[in-house]
Amino acid sequence: MTRQGLTRLTGSGNGECGKNDCPNVYRTTTGSFVVQGPVSDEFTPPNGEALVEIPEQVLREAVRALGW
């Protein structure tokens, strides 16, 4: 999947990073979500998976963007 196939739900310029590329939530064309953030080492996930950390504000912004 390319970035062009994603709808960016966060990073409108109001958050801690503004329009820069830092913690963000994206929606795919199939309705699932891709989360971008710093890699977390809290525990080791299964092969093929990763853990990322994103601020609560980023999730709140994504929920507002979806109208939930």
Side-chain angles (χ1 to χ4, degrees):
M1 174 181 304
T2 65
R3 188 177 231 174
Q4 290 75 23
L6 302 173
T7 300
R8 188 172 178 168
L9 300 175
T10 58
S12 63
N14 300 323
E16 68 181 50
C17 295
K19 294 184 180 185
N20 295 328
D21 259 355
C22 49
N24 281 298
V25 177
Y26 300 86
R27 190 159 199 180
T28 69
T29 56
T30 61
S32 62
F33 298 92
V34 174
V35 178
Q36 173 188 351
V39 175
S40 173
D41 61 0
E42 293 298 318
F43 66 89
T44 303
N47 286 337
E49 296 183 6
L51 304 175
V52 299
E53 293 185 40
I54 59 170
E56 180 180 329
Q57 180 58 33
V58 173
L59 288 178
R60 290 180 183 274
E61 186 179 349
V63 168
R64 278 194 299 276
L66 290 167
W68 292 355

